[in-house]
Amino acid sequence: MTTSQTIAYLQKKSDLGNHLVVATVEPLVSQNNNQIMVKNTGNVAVYLRVHCALYQENSDQSLTLEPGQQMKEFINLEDDWILDGQIYYYKQPVAPGKELRFATISKNLPQEMQLDVYAESIQQNPSKAITEAWGITVDESGELIVH
């Protein structure tokens, strides 16, 4: 009798289901006319950062970095994006599904130049994750503090 009650109890408990949700943090970069867009396609709020590289195709059809070019000559950065070193950070956490305008491509960008844009994201919580991964801190309001 005790064995059948234990089995019945365990079967009842197993019907509760699994409430584990796996966080996904996957940004997507796209271009809409001359606008560079970054979207949080994941299922949790994230912080975003963007790397940009400007290249010129040489005669060997390989890409080489164009020395001495200032990125700000060729892209107009949107508000709430900040530059730290060679990386652009969005200051606030970005909700799942939200798309942001990163920059506008300038008409000064020569036709032979290639602009590569790569985005990374890290989940908003816990905030120590961003400090450990990117070396950036977060203030009490959730805004990034770059050095």
Side-chain angles (χ1 to χ4, degrees):
M1 180 79 147
T2 307
T3 305
S4 63
Q5 288 176 341
T6 304
I7 291 172
Y9 174 78
L10 291 174
Q11 288 175 342
K12 183 68 172 172
K13 282 294 206 184
S14 67
D15 292 340
L16 294 177
N18 186 354
H19 296 287
L20 175 68
V21 177
V22 177
T24 58
V25 289
E26 298 187 22
L28 175 68
V29 176
S30 62
Q31 183 178 346
N32 184 1
N33 295 318
N34 64 340
Q35 302 291 315
I36 301 170
M37 310 296 288
V38 182
K39 183 176 184 177
N40 175 6
T41 63
N43 62 0
V44 295
V46 298
Y47 288 102
L48 293 170
R49 72 179 186 177
V50 173
H51 303 264
C52 293
L54 191 61
Y55 297 92
Q56 183 174 5
E57 223 172 307
N58 67 22
S59 60
D60 296 333
Q61 300 300 312
S62 63
L63 296 175
T64 56
L65 185 62
E66 178 69 14
Q69 294 290 341
Q70 296 288 331
M71 191 65 69
K72 63 184 176 182
E73 292 178 35
F74 302 112
I75 64 169
N76 301 314
L77 201 60
E78 295 294 325
D79 291 340
D80 291 328
W81 287 92
I82 48 178
L83 178 62
D84 183 41
Q86 299 294 319
I87 302 172
Y88 300 90
Y89 292 88
Y90 192 71
K91 292 193 273 185
Q92 300 292 331
V94 179
K98 184 170 182 181
E99 186 172 46
L100 305 169
R101 195 168 30 198
F102 166 65
T104 303
I105 301 171
S106 170
K107 293 178 183 180
N108 297 334
L109 184 65
Q111 191 69 25
E112 68 274 6
M113 300 298 282
Q114 167 99 21
L115 178 63
D116 289 343
V117 180
Y118 171 74
E120 295 178 311
S121 60
I122 191 164
Q123 67 187 46
Q124 176 186 7
N125 292 314
S127 62
K128 71 177 186 172
I130 192 165
T131 303
E132 292 172 359
W134 292 349
I136 302 293
T137 54
V138 178
D139 70 12
E140 300 81 34
S141 70
E143 188 168 305
L144 292 183
I145 302 169
V146 296
H147 306 101

